[in-house]
Amino acid sequence: MNNKYACWSMGFFVMCSACFLTDSCYIMSGDSDCTRTSPSAGSPSDNEFLPDRPKYVCSLSPDLITKAREELQEKPEWRLRDVQALRDMVCKDYPSLGTSLDDAFLLRFLRARKFDYDRALQLLVNYYTCRRSWPEVFNNLKPSAIKPVLESGFVTVLPRLDPEGRHVVCIRPDRWTPSNYPITENIRAIYLTLEKLIQSEETQVNGIVILADYKGVSLSKASHFGPFVAKKVIGILQDGFPIRIKAVNIINEPRIFKGIFAIIKPFLKEKIANRFFLHGCDLNSLHQNIPPVILPEEYGGTSGKLDISAWNELLLASEEDFLHDFSQLVLPCDSSPHDMLVSGDADEKQCDDSLRGMKPQLYYCY
């Protein structure tokens, strides 16, 4: 493989990881100049007049209710009315979207965008648009279909929460053998993992943490994550999924990784760059972010060997839930992803221009 092309692919891979693993992004921000404010007073949601719709029952502890109020602008006394406001916007602006309108489902999007109605609606529309635009990932999307990926240990979730009540998602690219299945299978496995995690209201409020182990990852393997795949992943996990990723801890990254990240860093908002922690082989550095008590022995922890079986069993046992939930995620045939995607064309152009300007610099990194 041409070393320059491989280096460029690795650079694009790192940049896109930086984008899709954070809940705000320079290239696809989705911010709105016009923010709707929550009503100052009002009556309960008209959910009570719709007997076929499951009634929402909050499962958050008092502490998490307080945290959601402070960090997400979620006010329990207005919660259902805010959900109804988003529901009304969907019915008015996107009557053919085909989305679930359940309180609990819509609440995920409001929390992910701090109860900004416009941005929550944008996220919801993108959520469905992304599904239609990439059939290789979303067709037949269910846990049993990605069983080989789960058995490889490419992605798993540690059994214990961190001190902030966040799940730790562990990604190990070295466990993937490209000749066994395409990279899209890995993306499907990550997506289903996030879908399972976001069902929890605690995760919706606390967010998650990523632990990415790049041990043994070569440039030839990284080259599979090319521009096409990278842009798709950005669209899904940055602007098309309702989850808050609070930190990305990268360990055992190759030396070239730091050089490429230094080139990419100026293109990122300070908020995003500050969420990345490159630890190299320094486990003490990792332990400052993730305490050893929740880490497996492989990362200097005290919780025993890394066991992927518990998470795999949990995900595979959710097969029927996914079949039910995803059966609703179908856009009408006359709806174009281009028409429904509400991210700005200017932002995408800015992204392309930035990448073109970065490419010559990446040629010198190897």
Side-chain angles (χ1 to χ4, degrees), residues 81-101:
R81 188 172 179 183
D82 289 338
V83 170
Q84 183 60 41
L86 178 57
R87 182 183 295 118
D88 291 342
M89 293 171 68
V90 173
C91 293
K92 177 183 177 183
D93 298 336
Y94 298 95
S96 300
L97 187 60
T99 179
S100 167
L101 295 175

Side-chain angles (χ1 to χ4, degrees), residues 108 128 195 199 320-329:
R108 300 177 187 179
Y128 286 90
E195 280 282 4
Q199 291 175 1
E320 292 301 321
D321 292 339
F322 280 111
L323 290 175
H324 173 267
D325 293 344
F326 289 178
S327 66
Q328 305 181 69
L329 306 186

